[in-house]
Amino acid sequence: MKAVFTRPESLTDKPFHFCPGCHHGVIHRLVAEAIDHYGVREKTIGAASVGCSVFLYDYFDIDVVESPHGRAPAVATGIKRANPDRFVLLYQGDGDLAAIGTAEIIHAANRGENLTVVFVNNTVYGMTGGQMAPTTLLGQPTTTSPYGREFGQDGYPIKMTEMLAQLEGVGYAARVAVDTPARLAKARKAVFQAFETQVEEKGMGFVEILATCPTNWGLPPLEAVKRVETEMIPYFPLGVYKERKGKDFL
Amino acid sequence: MAKLAIREERCKSCGICIEFCPENCLEIGDKLNAQGYRCVRLADPDACRACGICGRMCPDVVIEVWK
């Protein structure tokens, strides 16, 4: 029999701890497929964030350094500079990358570090109990904004991909979603492209993936999947924001 | 003939595979797994054409597909 779809080799056999319908599992699988495709499993070092993605070391058959809150780009910079032949993978959530570690990601991107960043945007702090993140949409109730986010008090949701795409050090920046089979296929391509950017040393490969958090949104899994299309994609437009063809640094 | 390997003990009954199956051949079964979720099952094996969408959409990599 011919295999149509099987578990990627880079994923260990450990069951995911994620809630039912959480997109972290799909994104883990896409990243594992990219590791398999580029054959970098034996030389990949991950820099995991703090949040629901904290157990990266359990689920991937790679070496992982656990970084302090938001500091994964700084830790990864050290790893990559000390071991330029290694493949360095960052996997961060929106509370981690867009709030606690904004300075680290912006300066790592601006320095043009050869890193691959997978940024999972689910508009809340997932693991700590659904507090408001900088990416929380206007009007969205969270445990720290029970009446919905209001711009006068909390500002506007931050668009990280657009911001980082402007920096010269970024080789690839894209925003994708994994809520339908068609978007999942595009997301897979974007993750592969972010890997290729590091393999070809074109600067930082950054991919933002819109994801669900059914538990903290207070929605059943399928309604949470629909919310990605109805509420998130209109504010966070999908697409490739930057793609460097050659090594055309200034 | 399509073959689906469903790891029942890992299913969390989220229903995403059922929602996106183009042939509507999956359903939530009656059996509870060790986690307490009702596991998905292949209700209509003849309709399945092994497209692999269920496996790709599943957040817990429960389903593997062969043709």
Side-chain angles (χ1 to χ4, degrees), chain B residues 2-20:
Chain B
K3 185 183 166 234
L4 256 62
I6 301 174
R7 298 181 75 171
E8 297 186 345
E9 75 283 3
R10 298 203 169 184
C11 180
K12 292 175 184 164
S13 201
C14 68
I16 291 178
C17 55
I18 299 168
E19 172 80 10
F20 290 102

Side-chain angles (χ1 to χ4, degrees), chain A residues 161-175:
Chain A
T161 306
E162 284 89 332
M163 201 156 87
L164 292 178
Q166 296 174 12
L167 299 175
E168 196 56 44
V170 175
Y172 180 79
R175 185 186 286 119

Side-chain angles (χ1 to χ4, degrees), chain A residues 3 65 78 101 119 125 139 143 145-146 184 194 199 203 208 226-227 245 249:
Chain A
V65 178
F119 168 42
Y125 279 78
T143 49
S145 60
L184 182 73
V199 170
E208 172 176 351
K226 290 198 175 78
R227 181 181 180 258
K245 298 289 179 200
F249 290 101

Side-chain angles (χ1 to χ4, degrees), chain A:
Chain A
M1 283 187 115
K2 200 175 124 235
V4 177
F5 173 80
T6 53
R7 192 180 179 86
E9 275 178 29
S10 298
L11 277 187
T12 61
D13 207 37
K14 180 118 179 145
F16 292 140
H17 74 284
F18 305 121
C19 307
C22 171
H23 276 158
H24 263 300
V26 179
I27 298 164
H28 272 44
R29 203 204 81 233
L30 291 180
V31 172
E33 282 181 359
I35 295 173
D36 285 353
H37 179 83
Y38 288 98
V40 290
R41 177 155 59 113
E42 291 303 316
K43 60 171 193 170
T44 299
I45 302 176
S49 67
V50 175
C52 286
S53 52
V54 73
F55 297 115
L56 205 71
Y57 53 83
D58 259 352
Y59 302 138
F60 285 88
D61 193 8
I62 57 172
D63 296 319
V64 176
V65 178
E66 203 55 57
S67 333
H69 308 68
R71 272 58 176 172
V75 171
T77 300
I79 299 169
K80 187 71 179 179
R81 289 194 176 195
N83 307 283
D85 58 323
R86 294 300 179 118
F87 188 90
V88 183
L89 169 73
L90 285 90
Y91 189 106
Q92 296 184 268
D94 53 331
D96 191 78
L97 183 141
I100 312 170
T102 323
E104 279 75 13
I105 188 67
I106 286 179
H107 288 288
N110 193 40
R111 291 193 303 266
E113 304 287 350
N114 274 314
L115 304 169
T116 297
V117 184
V118 177
F119 168 42
V120 180
N121 178 0
N122 57 12
T123 73
V124 284
Y125 279 78
M127 183 170 263
T128 50
Q131 290 85 355
M132 183 173 64
T135 45
T136 297
L137 296 171
L138 292 177
Q140 181 185 337
T142 65
T143 49
T144 47
S145 60
Y147 303 109
R149 182 179 185 155
E150 198 238 320
F151 68 87
Q153 188 177 315
D154 312 313
Y156 292 94
I158 194 166
K159 296 180 176 179
M160 287 308 287
T161 306
E162 284 89 332
M163 201 156 87
L164 292 178
Q166 296 174 12
L167 299 175
E168 196 56 44
V170 175
Y172 180 79
R175 185 186 286 119
V176 292
V178 290
D179 61 327
T180 64
R183 294 199 187 107
L184 182 73
K186 281 186 187 164
R188 188 170 184 270
K189 263 185 206 158
V191 171
F192 277 45
Q193 206 60 45
F195 270 65
E196 198 156 316
T197 309
Q198 182 177 164
V199 170
E200 295 181 353
E201 300 184 350
K202 288 180 187 168
M204 182 180 276
F206 182 89
V207 55
E208 172 176 351
I209 305 179
L210 302 181
T212 56
C213 186
T215 303
N216 289 310
W217 293 356
L219 294 174
L222 286 175
E223 284 179 36
V225 169
K226 290 198 175 78
R227 181 181 180 258
V228 173
E229 180 167 335
T230 54
E231 293 181 35
M232 285 177 83
I233 292 176
Y235 188 82
F236 294 112
L238 305 181
V240 177
Y241 287 83
K242 185 172 188 180
E243 193 169 10
R244 180 174 282 135
K245 298 289 179 200
K247 292 182 185 176
D248 54 348
F249 290 101
L250 287 175

